[in-house]
Amino acid sequence: MQELIRITVQNDQQLVSARDLYKGLELKIRFSLWVSKNFDSFEEGQDFTSVSADTEVSNNGGVQVRKLQDYLLTIDMAKELCMMSKTEKGKEVRKYFIEVERKWNDPQEIVKRGYAILQNENTQLKLENKNLTIQLEESNKKADYLDVILGTPDALAISQIAADYGYSAVNFNKLLHKVGIQHKVNGQWILYKAYMGKGYVASKAFTFQDHRGRDRSRTTTYWTQAGRKLIYDVLKDNDILPLIERDDIA
């Protein structure tokens, strides 16, 4: 069947552009005047809906896009407007709409549309399930690493935490400085003021012998469970994840 007037489908309803119908009927009256004379007997929201359409117009050698008032009409309204035109073209277009309706209501076409709707719903469900699966996997990954933290009550050296992220201790300390957790004072890494006194770190002293065989002692910083959680949260905000949560790690 040759398409005389373009038909669109929204929410399983066939609709016609009023401007397309006006053009198809080859009317001489101005579009806005045709609307004001013929739309009074129809109900907006039921028989037609106001919309805007883009059109290109020439402007000083260039092209400008303008908004035009348009309406989406039901097939029933379009058929009535064809009759109201009282022209041979109106009769021709009305017959076209009748044939469009007949095909639309054909049982085979109804089954096809129903199948298409089911296919679309099935696709949407698959996408939703995939998204839920991804969210669950991400949630499990986070839980796994937090379980590691919660399951290790003892304070850890920075080298042990750095290994969780695939860093050396030296580079990991620099990373914590970069994200604003710590800074170096007299050769020792110190938390920034905002994080001090909150139980994130603990100091431990250890003894050793220097190259002359003399006993020496030194204090080193260990990270508590709360400190590891702080590192995790701050680094995650900077899109840096532990190896256990990274998708690129098999």
Side-chain angles (χ1 to χ4, degrees), residues 205-224:
F206 67 95
T207 60
F208 64 98
Q209 286 187 335
D210 63 17
H211 66 285
R212 293 182 179 180
R214 294 177 298 184
D215 289 334
R216 296 273 189 174
S217 66
R218 181 176 294 175
T219 300
T220 188
T221 300
Y222 283 77
W223 290 84
T224 65

Side-chain angles (χ1 to χ4, degrees), residues 87-140:
T87 63
E88 289 300 316
K89 193 66 177 178
K91 291 179 181 179
E92 179 187 352
V93 175
R94 181 174 178 274
K95 287 181 180 179
Y96 166 73
F97 286 141
I98 291 173
E99 180 60 21
V100 166
E101 272 194 314
R102 185 199 64 76
K103 185 176 181 181
W104 178 261
N105 293 319
D106 182 275
Q108 291 186 354
E109 293 298 321
I110 293 174
V111 170
K112 286 181 182 179
R113 292 201 303 276
Y115 180 73
I117 291 172
L118 288 175
Q119 289 288 90
N120 183 59
E121 290 177 349
N122 186 45
T123 301
Q124 290 297 322
L125 284 173
K126 287 181 178 179
L127 289 174
E128 290 173 6
N129 287 336
K130 184 177 181 180
N131 289 333
L132 286 173
T133 299
I134 292 173
Q135 290 174 16
L136 181 60
E137 289 175 350
E138 291 300 317
S139 178
N140 286 339

Side-chain angles (χ1 to χ4, degrees), residues 41-81:
S41 57
F42 300 98
E43 184 177 346
E44 185 169 3
Q46 180 175 330
D47 300 309
F48 68 94
T49 304
S50 296
V51 294
S52 61
D54 292 337
T55 185
E56 293 183 351
V57 295
S58 299
N59 183 22
N60 296 326
V63 176
Q64 182 181 11
V65 177
R66 289 178 52 193
K67 293 285 185 182
L68 291 179
Q69 177 63 54
D70 197 2
Y71 306 88
L72 289 178
L73 319 175
T74 63
I75 294 292
D76 285 340
M77 178 175 173
K79 288 191 298 183
E80 289 194 48
L81 289 173

